[in-house]
């Protein structure tokens, strides 16, 4: 280990007693296994930032050597953890990278929905009516499961719990703020603030699909339905077969339709899409 790195870890360790009780920017809970990104030294729970980097790395065709910090967008090459003042451990962002997640039929159905024309369900589920009638005051117990499936489909990664937790927290916090300000702001203003907040939270993971993702969240909330009922309406309008596990496969069903679509990766501006 180089002398400069040892000096850095000593500096970090000296402040760790006060940092251990601080809040992780990802899970919004007290820090567990305090860790740092190696360039900007922003602090996170080790498990949170490890999963975050794995999700970002998973959007690339080949593992990149660095990822941007979710806070300051600085490029970082590794996660530093286990700092004791004289040594530290380092986990590189592309270490142990595996692209093994296999999309289920339901995931493929949702992925195809992102390639349909936006707005074709607005006559059934009105997003504007959802905001104008202030239905966002009503909690949705199916939203977390919906978000998990959407994110798994879009980034083609199975372990998305940290991302789901992060985005769900922003959605809930945003709706709570909207509820508190609903007597002051017009519905259009409340909707725009919601879209801005959720887009900012989701864009590091979803890149170019972020705007459509935020639209799909609003559409699901506006429906007021559970996931099964929502899927049934969506699929009926699309003219597709059910993505459920017990559906028989025919020449016209979803599986046959997906064979014409390549294995998709969602790129942002930093992805190596030329490979």
């Amino acid at each position: 280990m180089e002398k400069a790195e040892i000096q850095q870890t000593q500096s970090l360790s000296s402040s760790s007693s006060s940092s251990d009780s601080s809040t992780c920017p990802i899970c919004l809970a007290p820090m567990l296994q305090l860790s740092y990104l190696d360039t900007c030294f922003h602090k996170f729970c080790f498990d949170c930032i490890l999963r975050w980097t794995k999700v970002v790395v998973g959007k690339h065709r080949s593992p990149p050597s660095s990822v941007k910090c979710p806070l300051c967008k600085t490029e970082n090459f590794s996660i530093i953890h286990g700092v004791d003042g004289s040594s530290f451990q380092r986990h590189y962002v592309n270490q142990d990278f595996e692209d093994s997640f296999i999309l289920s039929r339901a995931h493929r159905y949702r992925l195809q929905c992102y390639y349909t024309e936006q707005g074709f369900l607005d006559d059934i589920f009105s997003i504007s009516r959802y905001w104008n009638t202030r239905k966002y005051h009503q909690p949705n117990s199916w939203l977390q499961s919906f978000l998990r499936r959407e994110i798994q489909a879009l980034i083609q990664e199975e372990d998305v719990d940290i991302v789901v937790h992060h985005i769900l927290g922003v959605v809930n916090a945003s709706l709570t703020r909207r509820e508190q300000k609903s007597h002051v702001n017009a519905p259009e203003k409340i909707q725009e603030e919601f879209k801005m907040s959720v887009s900012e939270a989701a864009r590091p993971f979803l890149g170019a699909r972020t705007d459509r993702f935020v639209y799909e969240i609003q559409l699901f909330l506006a429906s007021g339905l559970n996931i099964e009922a929502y899927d049934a309406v969506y699929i009926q309008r699309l003219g597709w077969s059910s993505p459920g596990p017990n559906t028989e496969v025919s020449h016209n069903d979803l599986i046959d339709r997906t064979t014409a679509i390549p294995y998709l990766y969602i790129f942002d501006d930093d992805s190596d899409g030329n490979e």
Side-chain angles (χ1 to χ4, degrees):
M1 185 180 301
E2 296 181 1
K3 181 177 180 181
E5 292 178 329
I6 292 291
Q7 291 174 340
Q8 285 179 324
T9 61
Q10 290 174 337
S11 176
L12 295 174
S13 179
S14 65
S15 61
S16 62
S17 58
S18 60
S19 301
D20 289 340
S21 60
S22 60
T23 300
C24 171
I26 297 177
C27 68
L28 305 181
M31 296 279 188
L32 294 176
Q33 290 183 284
L34 186 65
S35 64
Y36 304 80
L37 291 176
D38 64 355
T39 301
C40 64
F41 285 100
H42 276 124
K43 296 172 287 187
F44 308 88
C45 299
F46 176 66
D47 190 53
C48 289
I49 192 61
L50 179 63
R51 293 189 182 190
W52 177 295
T53 57
K54 285 184 176 181
V55 168
V56 174
V57 167
K59 296 192 298 178
H60 298 252
R61 292 193 177 187
S62 58
S65 61
S66 66
V67 294
K68 291 181 179 179
C69 170
L71 294 180
C72 68
K73 311 306 179 185
T74 300
E75 292 287 348
N76 290 268
F77 298 88
S78 64
I79 304 167
I80 297 173
H81 62 107
V83 177
D84 64 7
S86 60
S87 65
F88 62 87
Q89 300 179 55
R90 171 172 286 173
H91 185 101
Y92 288 92
V93 298
N94 60 356
Q95 184 175 330
D96 301 325
F97 173 77
E98 294 182 1
D99 188 14
S100 58
F101 180 52
I102 300 175
L103 294 177
S104 69
R105 298 179 70 187
H107 289 121
R108 290 196 293 269
Y109 140 67
R110 284 309 300 166
L111 189 56
Q112 283 194 333
C113 291
Y114 281 74
Y115 288 85
T116 61
E117 182 180 356
Q118 181 170 308
F120 80 112
L121 278 180
D122 285 353
D123 61 323
I124 302 177
F125 308 133
S126 174
I127 293 177
S128 61
R129 184 165 61 246
Y130 169 79
W131 292 104
N132 289 332
T133 58
R134 306 188 192 282
K135 288 186 177 180
Y136 51 84
H137 293 303
Q138 304 171 1
N140 188 303
S141 59
W142 306 290
L143 181 58
Q144 182 171 353
S145 296
F146 177 79
L147 290 176
R148 177 175 287 104
R149 187 179 65 171
E150 298 292 287
I151 295 168
Q152 284 177 333
L154 288 172
I155 66 178
Q156 301 183 26
E157 183 78 23
E158 183 174 13
D159 186 3
V160 296
D161 287 348
I162 290 296
V163 183
V164 171
H165 182 80
H166 173 62
I167 295 178
L168 181 64
V170 172
V171 169
N172 289 336
S174 181
L175 291 177
T176 300
R177 290 195 299 270
R178 305 293 84 79
E179 181 177 351
Q180 295 170 347
K181 299 168 64 176
S182 62
H183 64 287
V184 177
N185 290 343
E188 295 81 4
K189 176 65 173 178
I190 294 173
Q191 180 184 8
E192 286 305 312
E193 291 178 352
F194 172 87
K195 290 166 60 178
M196 185 179 301
S197 298
V198 179
S199 294
E200 183 177 352
R203 199 169 301 279
F205 307 103
L206 304 184
R209 295 294 171 201
T210 300
D211 291 342
R212 180 60 183 266
F213 172 73
V214 175
Y215 166 80
E216 293 291 334
I217 293 176
Q218 294 179 87
L219 193 65
F220 178 71
L221 291 172
S223 75
L225 302 174
N226 63 26
I227 294 176
E228 290 75 16
Y230 179 78
D231 287 349
V233 175
Y234 216 124
I235 292 169
Q236 183 180 30
R237 173 58 66 89
L238 291 169
W240 295 347
S241 301
S242 169
N246 298 322
T247 304
E248 293 184 1
V249 178
S250 69
H251 289 294
N252 294 320
D253 83 354
L254 180 61
I255 294 296
D256 290 329
R257 292 173 185 267
T258 58
T259 56
I261 296 180
Y263 192 72
L264 298 171
Y265 287 84
I266 308 304
F267 293 107
D268 58 21
D269 292 340
D270 300 312
S271 302
D272 50 354
N274 294 325
E275 293 191 9

